[in-house]
Amino acid sequence: MTHRHRYTTGATTMSAGDPGAESRVLRISDTMTTVDLGMPGLAAPGDPGPLGAPLPGDRPHAPGLIDRFGRTATDLRVSLTDRCNLRCTYCMPAEGLPTLPRDAVMTRAEIVRLVGIATRDLGVRQVRFTGGEPLLRGDLVEIVRDVAALENRPEISLTTNAVGLDHRARDLRAAGLDRVNISLDTLDPDTYARMARRPFLARTLAGIDAAAREFDVVKINAVLVRGLNLDHAADLLSWCLERGFELRFIEQMPLDADHAWDRSAMVTAAEVRAQLGERFDLAPDEEPRDGAPAERFTVSGHGGGPRLGRVGIIASVTEPFCADCRRTRLTAEGAVRACLFAHTESDLLGPLRAGANDATLADLWRTAMWGKWAGHDMAAAGFVQPSRTMSAIGG
Ligand code: SF4
């Protein structure tokens, strides 16, 4: 007989007397669990190891996307395509990668249906469209418009390299897009061309200008690579601060197609702080992190100068933030990825195309997230890089 634990909507509340309570996470408040207090989740028997062991069968009867470590996913990342118009060295081989056949990729209607289920039945509040490069979807504006028209309208954002955004920003804004995250690793055209293997800096900057005209919030994501753009960090921050953009430095993650990622060569968050500290004073941001990937700092000039803005550092490798992860992902093929580094996925598109109803799809999604592991194990000797690459996940 499967246990059906008593849970309230959203906040997973377990009474201490419940069987297995000691092996599960207890919710302290609406926003805190024992995991947040740094207590390990001590998952139930059958706990999936890092390499995608079978999912536990005793998912509680709860509406939200909860997992066994007391987390609730409310932030959905949807990969709209695995195609991209750049060939970033830390992501793709120069020749690119084979891409999905057209009929394997979710259609506009399928995307909107799954996002609708997520926002109506599963407690998702934020939706971020990613790729590959989402601007390569000709129906992107329509997808955004349809999602913005959903009854439970989520906050809608886009992660893009901004190549071509200057032609789409206004329409995306009018369709309901709330904000954009733009990838920009350097302001130097030669370095950009070496890193992206495309001479598209001017087009990216034109896209950023258009985004600044249309959106209140423009975030810039930068990956620093030793020997390429590490010493560009402070200039990039100055440039962003002058324009009111929030820059976030992202530690390079082992999600590249070449499997060439080398932890010892990676630029760490500590190095970034030290690099920026040569020109700026960084102070911990007063705003709560609230499950966000980026650790944020307020930035001011040296010696107590005026506050210039904020900067964020996403230290997935050296300072992981899995204990408060609120993300769930959909691949372009309509599979749920519980974690960026997961080795297993749960197919929704197949059942959807086979006629499954919304309740069944929602339950499949819940089951996939209930089996989410505690977090990536990159620090472990036995770490195995996932076979799916960043270009087919989208961050
Ligand atoms: S590695 Fe996985 S569990 Fe950790 S923060 Fe990222 S998605 Fe969440």
Side-chain angles (χ1 to χ4, degrees):
M1 178 189 71
T2 317
H3 280 307
R4 287 265 168 256
H5 293 284
R6 291 181 302 285
Y7 285 81
T8 57
T9 307
T12 48
T13 311
M14 267 178 88
S15 57
D18 272 22
E22 73 281 358
S23 71
R24 296 282 173 84
V25 177
L26 289 179
R27 178 155 292 282
I28 310 298
S29 70
D30 281 349
T31 57
M32 185 166 285
T33 71
T34 45
V35 167
D36 299 330
L37 296 175
M39 297 179 207
L42 298 177
D47 171 38
L51 294 179
L55 293 174
D58 61 349
R59 176 179 60 79
H61 189 64
L65 294 174
I66 59 168
D67 68 38
R68 293 162 308 110
F69 302 92
R71 301 164 297 191
T72 303
T74 55
D75 179 358
L76 168 61
R77 313 287 172 93
V78 184
S79 172
L80 297 180
T81 176
D82 62 342
R83 293 181 298 123
C84 188
N85 45 10
L86 299 183
R87 296 287 179 270
C88 299
T89 53
Y90 49 79
C91 180
M92 273 221 202
E95 67 278 12
L97 291 168
T99 53
L100 290 164
R102 199 178 181 81
D103 60 2
V105 175
M106 292 184 289
T107 64
R108 168 183 166 188
E110 290 164 344
I111 292 163
V112 175
R113 180 173 169 201
L114 290 173
V115 173
I117 292 169
T119 53
R120 185 192 63 221
D121 306 329
L122 302 174
V124 162
R125 293 291 166 265
Q126 296 162 302
V127 172
R128 181 169 319 163
F129 292 118
T130 69
E133 174 46 52
L135 289 176
L136 296 184
R137 285 256 341 198
D139 54 358
L140 176 61
V141 170
E142 289 75 15
I143 292 170
V144 169
R145 187 178 300 122
D146 293 351
V147 168
L150 290 171
E151 194 186 330
N152 304 80
R153 186 202 192 286
E155 183 205 53
I156 309 171
S157 62
L158 180 76
T159 296
T160 172
N161 61 34
V163 174
L165 183 58
D166 46 334
H167 305 296
R168 315 277 291 282
R170 178 160 298 172
D171 292 345
L172 286 166
R173 181 72 177 134
L177 187 64
D178 296 305
R179 64 179 174 81
V180 288
N181 287 45
I182 295 173
S183 306
L184 178 70
D185 298 332
T186 177
L187 295 165
D188 175 65
D190 297 336
T191 308
Y192 181 106
R194 284 178 64 196
M195 294 183 74
R197 298 195 184 101
R198 295 287 184 276
F200 291 169
L201 177 62
R203 296 175 65 185
T204 292
L205 294 177
I208 293 175
D209 287 346
R213 287 192 296 272
E214 299 296 336
F215 299 98
D216 303 331
V217 178
V218 173
K219 294 188 177 182
I220 303 290
N221 294 343
V223 174
L224 297 177
V225 178
R226 206 178 298 287
L228 275 173
N229 65 334
L230 175 51
D231 54 359
H232 299 199
D235 287 344
L236 195 53
L237 180 54
S238 293
W239 186 85
C240 288
L241 291 169
E242 286 157 18
R243 288 160 181 76
F245 302 153
E246 184 173 323
L247 176 60
R248 296 104 59 80
F249 292 101
I250 306 176
E251 285 183 338
Q252 192 187 340
M253 293 180 276
L255 291 166
D256 60 311
D258 295 329
H259 286 222
W261 179 82
D262 173 0
R263 189 186 176 106
S264 64
M266 182 197 73
V267 175
T268 66
E271 284 180 89
V272 177
R273 287 190 290 267
Q275 183 91 10
L276 299 179
E278 289 171 12
R279 191 184 298 183
F280 304 101
D281 285 346
L282 304 185
D285 190 36
E286 61 281 346
E287 278 196 22
R289 190 168 179 177
D290 221 10
E295 182 176 12
R296 299 166 93 197
F297 301 87
T298 57
V299 184
S300 52
H302 260 335
R307 181 173 159 157
L308 304 170
R310 283 196 176 90
V311 67
I313 299 178
I314 300 178
S316 310
V317 180
T318 60
E319 299 160 15
F321 36 86
C322 305
D324 199 15
C325 179
R326 302 180 185 182
R327 286 163 292 285
T328 182
R329 291 178 168 83
L330 269 182
T331 67
E333 308 101 296
V336 175
R337 275 186 81 75
C339 167
L340 194 54
F341 294 92
H343 290 275
T344 57
E345 296 170 350
S346 301
D347 179 27
L348 293 184
L349 193 56
L352 181 155
R353 289 180 175 175
N357 62 25
D358 288 4
T360 302
L361 295 169
D363 246 4
L364 288 170
W365 205 330
R366 291 184 186 109
T367 300
M369 293 306 293
W370 176 248
K372 179 172 181 166
W373 58 16
H376 69 66
D377 59 345
M378 263 184 270
F383 170 71
V384 177
Q385 179 169 335
S387 53
R388 185 183 285 271
T389 62
M390 180 58 98
S391 63
I393 304 172

